Every structure is written in C-alpha cells, then in structure tokens.
Amino acid sequence: MTKKVTQISEFLLQFDALKAVNRKTYINGGERVENSAEHSWHLAMACWAFAEQSQEDFDLLKLLKLALVHDLGEIGVGDTFLYSANRNDAHIEERKYIEKLASHPGNPIGDLPELWEEQESGETKEARLLKVIDRLLPFLHNVTSEGRAWKDHGIRKSQVLKMHGFIEQENPEIYEWFISKVEYAVDQGWLKDS
C-alpha cells in the first residue's frame, strides 16, 4: 500500500507544474496574468454554474472531469495564445504529454487520454459547453481588465469575432451577450475596430 500511495503522490505532483504555466489573460482587472491551474479551476466552476442553469441535461461529473483535464497538456508545452499563428498544431504536442501522464506508474485515472480526446474533439454536449465557456472566461477577463491582453498583443475585433463565432451556434444567449461586450470594447478603444 505504501508503494501505491507513493506512486500516486508522485503522479499528483506532476499536476503541480500547471501552476507555473502562465497565460496571456490578466485577472483581477489587470493585476497579473492567470496561470493554467487557475484557469482550469475557474473553467470547472463556470461549466458547473452554466450546466446548473441550463435546460439541457448535462453529465455534470463528465463535464467537470473534462474541464479539469482540458489544459493538462500545457504542462509539457506551455499555453498557446488564442490568437497565435500556431494554435492549430498545439494539440499535437499536448497529446504527447497526456500520453506521458497516462503512462505514469502512479496514474489511477484509466480514462485520462479518452477524457482529454473528448474535450479536444468537442463532439459531446459536455465538450461543446466546455469549449464555449473556455472562450468566454478569457474574454470576460479582457473586459474586466479594459482589454489589457488585447492591447498588449494588438488584437482586432475581427480576430475576436472569428475565434468566438462558433458560440453563436452553440449558445445564442451567450453569443448575444458576447457581441454586446465586443461592441462596448471597441467603443472604449480596447479593441481595434477592424
């Protein structure tokens, strides 16, 4: 039993590295950048909140698991900024790290790679909600920090609309709110209107 506890403990310490993965999003109105562990926790809480108020019947346990595994691949490769040119290839290296985690002798989570793939593919209703909320949270941080990350990186309205456009199909109510905030951000000069 002691060996098993030691192995699981060593496995769990792997996750601690997610706290050292900094993102581009500023929290607390611009105080500092968020790390990926904070984002994962916030994502899980937000998914839970949206699932509770939804008319749809979500598998809440699955949704929370998807949120918690969502960014684990970043431990091995770092965070990829939403507007990065190499965003489409980030999942390849992240998948390799997930496979490494899954093969750890102390890993008691047998379906870790499957859960990660499910959130990555976005085909189940839980994974689709996760993707909407995953885009919503950094956007919300940008609004509360007066567009600090957008301004830091010269992000334009067209880029934001492109990367968030799928939300219109997935959740029209959230998309309506999102569009109103985009227009507000442009009016405030936080986003370039082009």
Side-chain angles (χ1 to χ4, degrees), residues 154-161 182-194:
I155 303 303
R156 300 180 172 282
K157 175 184 173 182
S158 59
Q159 291 173 280
V160 174
L161 292 175
V182 167
E183 294 306 327
Y184 180 75
V186 169
D187 290 345
Q188 297 300 309
W190 306 337
L191 269 177
K192 297 176 183 179
D193 188 17
S194 60

Side-chain angles (χ1 to χ4, degrees), residues 49-114:
F50 274 96
E52 290 289 340
Q53 66 83 43
S54 176
Q55 300 299 322
E56 231 178 305
D57 185 27
F58 289 100
D59 179 337
L60 189 55
L61 180 58
K62 180 193 277 191
L63 180 59
L64 295 175
K65 286 180 178 182
L66 295 177
L68 292 171
V69 304
H70 171 69
D71 283 330
L72 287 181
E74 293 181 5
I75 294 171
V77 298
D79 179 56
T80 303
F81 188 45
L82 180 60
Y83 305 102
S84 173
N86 65 348
R87 177 140 184 99
N88 291 336
D89 297 331
H91 68 280
I92 296 167
E93 293 302 314
E94 289 179 13
R95 181 177 288 110
K96 289 178 186 175
Y97 189 77
I98 294 299
E99 291 167 2
K100 179 180 173 186
L101 268 180
S103 68
H104 190 285
N107 174 22
I109 306 170
D111 59 349
L112 182 63
E114 291 81 10

Side-chain angles (χ1 to χ4, degrees), residues 124-142:
T124 64
K125 64 183 175 182
E126 290 81 13
R128 289 192 312 270
L129 176 62
L130 174 88
K131 289 200 176 291
V132 168
I133 304 305
D134 187 44
R135 293 288 168 86
L136 179 66
L137 292 177
F139 179 83
L140 183 59
H141 283 309
N142 264 302

